[in-house]
Amino acid sequence: MFRRLREDINSVFARDPAARNFLEVLTNYPGLHALLAHRLSHWLWQKNLKWLARTLSQLFRVLTGIEIHPGATIGRRFFIDHGMGVVIGETAEVGDDVTLYQGVTLGGTSWHKGKRHPTLENGVIVGAGAKILGPFTVGAGAKIGSNAVITKAVPTGATVVGIPGKIVKREEPDSEDVLEVDPARREAMRQKFGFDAYGVSQDMPDPVARSMQAMLDHMHAVDGRIEQMCKTLRQLDHSYRAGQLPELRDEDFEGVLADVDSCCPPLDDEADQGNDRGPDRDTVAEAAPRKQGGTGA
């Protein structure tokens, strides 16, 4: 028992640089107190002393602000930093060397008996305020970002952020697709529509920005294909006259540009060119006449 206690205290020193000495950790860390209480209440739960186990867990819930159901299975070297507001459900399973921060919920989404809560494998780190809801597995070494809401399985070693949770990094680095478009033409397309992928560069792991970048690439390819078709039609029939494309109106972009201006400041390299390029609204306003002058079938 004392060896396990020393192991738990050493895990605090390993993961919290604010920990100074053995006595401070033993007396002032609510995460450690909740863990020790859970060890006892879980033993009572397994001995079918369920009322006593629940009473003990509720007592330490009041004292520590951490609620761990006696039926939950907790591995070795488990660390809850700060701890206030942490909730761990009855059928939750936590592996070794797992770290939780304040406000984390390992909850369920069903009222049916049986497995209702998540399983966290070894080495998982869950950021403050994250909610992991449902009977699925979070793979070993995964990282859950603060305030993320996770409702499906997470692969081993992945990093997940957002609501709902999206994988932004896997254990093995994502292989970059071969760029099949001319970067210069991609930039021209971006300026043509006055859109900067929410002010996020391609290097930033934002799944929404990546999706928008893919859409811009697709629009670039379609634009080039239409120009080629119009050129061929003019060669076949000299009487063919290219029609004008719909006008791009500045008011159609008001909502998007307002969000970009208020939430996403320009990148450093764009800020340096700000005097030459002008604000996004000017870009969109200038895009309309260019679009009218384009070709289309």
Side-chain angles (χ1 to χ4, degrees), residues 193-215:
F193 287 92
F195 181 72
D196 199 16
Y198 292 106
V200 180
S201 71
Q202 186 180 7
D203 296 332
M204 295 184 181
D206 188 324
V208 175
R210 289 181 179 177
S211 299
M212 292 299 181
Q213 191 68 65
M215 290 175 61

Side-chain angles (χ1 to χ4, degrees), residues 226-244:
I226 291 176
E227 290 180 0
Q228 183 64 34
M229 291 171 59
C230 292
K231 181 179 179 180
T232 303
L233 286 173
R234 285 194 296 271
Q235 291 176 350
L236 295 175
D237 184 1
H238 294 288
S239 64
Y240 170 77
R241 184 179 302 172
Q244 291 184 342

Side-chain angles (χ1 to χ4, degrees), residues 21-43:
N21 55 65
F22 185 94
L23 181 61
E24 182 182 55
V25 172
L26 185 62
T27 57
N28 293 300
Y29 273 69
L32 177 63
H33 302 158
L35 176 60
L36 297 178
H38 172 72
R39 296 258 171 81
L40 178 56
S41 65
H42 185 65
W43 180 83

Side-chain angles (χ1 to χ4, degrees), residues 171-191:
E171 184 176 24
E172 295 296 332
D174 295 336
S175 58
E176 292 217 6
D177 296 333
V178 178
L179 188 64
E180 297 181 354
V181 296
D182 183 2
R185 293 203 63 186
R186 170 191 275 180
E187 176 65 15
M189 178 65 66
R190 181 189 67 76
Q191 292 200 16

Side-chain angles (χ1 to χ4, degrees), residues 30-191:
L32 177 63
H33 302 158
L35 176 60
L36 297 178
H38 172 72
R39 296 258 171 81
L40 178 56
S41 65
H42 185 65
W43 180 83
L44 294 171
W45 185 268
Q46 291 180 318
K47 298 299 182 181
N48 208 30
L49 299 172
K50 294 189 176 356
W51 179 87
L52 187 57
R54 288 300 302 271
T55 301
L56 180 63
S57 69
Q58 290 301 306
L59 174 62
F60 274 84
R61 174 180 179 269
V62 173
L63 296 175
T64 65
I66 300 169
E67 181 175 346
I68 306 177
H69 194 284
T73 302
I74 306 294
R76 302 175 65 175
R77 296 177 296 279
F78 178 57
F79 178 50
I80 303 176
D81 198 3
H82 300 292
M84 181 62 69
V86 168
V87 177
I88 300 177
E90 177 186 3
T91 61
E93 300 176 46
V94 178
D96 299 335
D97 302 300
V98 171
T99 302
L100 306 184
Y101 289 86
Q102 66 272 16
V104 169
T105 299
L106 305 184
T109 57
S110 171
W111 289 348
H112 300 293
K113 292 186 180 296
K115 178 68 171 172
R116 308 184 303 279
H117 303 92
T119 296
L120 275 56
E121 294 185 344
N122 298 342
V124 170
I125 299 175
V126 184
K131 314 300 178 187
I132 306 178
L133 309 174
F136 53 84
T137 299
V138 178
K143 297 179 178 63
I144 309 300
S146 296
N147 295 317
V149 177
I150 312 300
T151 57
K152 58 184 179 180
V154 176
T156 298
T159 299
V160 183
V161 299
I163 304 175
K166 298 180 179 64
I167 298 174
V168 296
K169 182 179 179 182
R170 296 182 180 271
E171 184 176 24
E172 295 296 332
D174 295 336
S175 58
E176 292 217 6
D177 296 333
V178 178
L179 188 64
E180 297 181 354
V181 296
D182 183 2
R185 293 203 63 186
R186 170 191 275 180
E187 176 65 15
M189 178 65 66
R190 181 189 67 76
Q191 292 200 16

Side-chain angles (χ1 to χ4, degrees), residues 5 36-37 43 46 69 79 89 165 223 240 253 261 268 277 286:
L5 175 61
L36 297 178
W43 180 83
Q46 291 180 318
H69 194 284
F79 178 50
D223 193 72
Y240 170 77
F253 293 85
D261 291 342
D268 293 339
R277 179 177 164 215
E286 295 170 2

